[in-house]
Amino acid sequence: MSHIGLRYGNGPEILKDINFTLQPGSMQFLTGPSGAGKTSLLKLIYLALQPNRGFIHLFGQDVSISSRDELALLRRKIGVVFQGFGLLGHLSVFENVALPLRVTGKKHDDYKDDVKDLLQWVGLGKSLDVSPDTLSGGEKQRVAIARAVVAKPDLLIADEPTGNVDLQMGKRLMRLFLELNRLGSTVLIASHDLSLIRSVSADVYTIEEGALSLNPAKRPRGKK
Ligand SMILES: Nc1ncnc2c1ncn2[C@@H]1O[C@H](COP(=O)(O)OP(=O)(O)OP(=O)(O)O)[C@@H](O)[C@H]1O
Ligand SMILES: [Mg+2]
């Protein structure tokens, strides 16, 4: 994205002249104080918001001149973990996670074992058939993460994906993101969690006062 500016209504400009490129296959963190604009920047990338100025190219395509159908296809390449999770209460945990596979036309028998394995991995193997409405915040977060990664999206965007879980589970979820990245997905994670950020080798972007700055990849501590 280049020269991006964003404001809500007549409010102040939240993002000012943001220039940002996600290298395909890279792993990047986005950090910054609460209210700095992390969620807003992610929404621009997954096309839930339009900028007031500037250009966004997604998978090489200028989204401002793309048709609705083209945008819908682009969105299918992106897995998103929202800050508010965005789970569907009238579907079971299993059905929520299977949704991205169903919309691409996959058959239940072909994906059911993968979905069960993934839910097992995030510690929800016993909650397949319940509504996400009955789960705790951390459990909902894990369902949202499973749904975002299940179709191995080209781009994974996660907004505070470990905000509601304990350290142990946070590390486990991080391993899931790393594995997805290893398989070729580009991963962008907004997080306040410095211990999480320091635990992996990734570029760290910081938003502050509407501007973005980069701290280049750091080596995980304790490793050469
Ligand atoms: N829908 C909206 N309408 C008006 N203002 C908004 C809206 N969404 C966000 N804002 C404002 O934009 C600014 C950036 O919000 P944003 O949610 O992007 O921050 P953030 O960095 O994700 O914060 P946090 O770490 O608390 O999640 C804030 O000042 C917020 O009040
Ligand atoms: Mg946010």
Side-chain angles (χ1 to χ4, degrees):
M1 49 175 63
S2 52
H3 304 297
I4 290 295
L6 176 74
R7 63 172 83 237
Y8 289 99
N10 295 322
E13 209 166 37
I14 306 289
L15 302 175
K16 302 170 186 158
D17 203 43
I18 300 275
N19 297 291
F20 180 55
T21 303
L22 269 173
Q23 295 300 335
S26 65
M27 170 111 190
Q28 321 204 327
F29 283 102
L30 182 62
T31 186
S34 179
K38 299 181 294 298
T39 298
S40 304
L41 183 64
L42 297 187
K43 282 183 175 168
L44 289 170
I45 300 174
Y46 64 76
L47 309 177
L49 266 184
Q50 286 182 351
N52 299 92
R53 58 189 173 98
F55 298 95
I56 298 177
H57 288 82
L58 210 53
F59 308 113
Q61 206 167 317
D62 181 345
V63 301
S64 68
I65 55 166
S66 300
S67 67
R68 287 173 71 102
D69 288 351
E70 285 171 332
L71 292 181
L73 285 177
L74 288 180
R75 276 201 198 91
R76 279 200 195 165
K77 298 185 185 185
I78 309 176
V80 184
V81 183
F82 305 96
Q83 223 165 2
F85 312 135
L87 300 171
L88 302 174
H90 63 283
L91 298 180
S92 70
V93 163
F94 177 92
E95 289 164 337
N96 266 275
V97 173
L99 213 52
L101 298 168
R102 279 186 53 190
V103 299
T104 61
K106 292 224 167 62
K107 299 269 184 307
H108 179 267
D109 282 350
D110 295 333
Y111 62 66
K112 72 172 192 295
D113 291 341
D114 289 346
V115 171
K116 283 182 186 168
D117 284 351
L118 183 57
L119 280 164
Q120 192 84 38
W121 170 259
V122 298
L124 292 173
K126 294 203 174 82
S127 308
L128 300 179
D129 298 320
V130 307
S131 160
D133 289 349
T134 66
L135 300 178
S136 75
E139 289 167 338
K140 283 181 188 148
Q141 190 154 41
R142 286 180 267 153
V143 178
I145 289 172
R147 183 185 55 183
V149 304
V150 73
K152 302 195 176 58
D154 292 335
L155 172 60
L156 177 84
I157 292 179
D159 202 352
E160 300 288 349
T162 59
N164 293 276
V165 298
D166 58 63
L167 190 62
Q168 204 69 18
M169 183 50 77
K171 285 185 181 160
R172 205 178 168 84
L173 296 174
M174 200 58 223
R175 273 168 53 201
L176 200 57
F177 297 136
L178 285 168
E179 177 63 13
L180 191 69
N181 178 242
R182 202 183 60 76
L183 293 172
S185 298
T186 309
V187 177
L188 176 62
I189 302 175
S191 180
H192 286 118
D193 187 344
L194 288 179
S195 65
L196 184 81
I197 293 174
R198 288 197 194 108
S199 69
V200 295
S201 173
D203 285 341
V204 182
Y205 286 87
T206 305
I207 304 191
E208 214 155 2
E209 296 179 359
L212 199 62
S213 56
L214 169 68
N215 315 321
K218 290 194 187 106
R219 290 268 158 209
R221 281 186 301 183
K223 290 190 185 160
K224 272 188 237 154

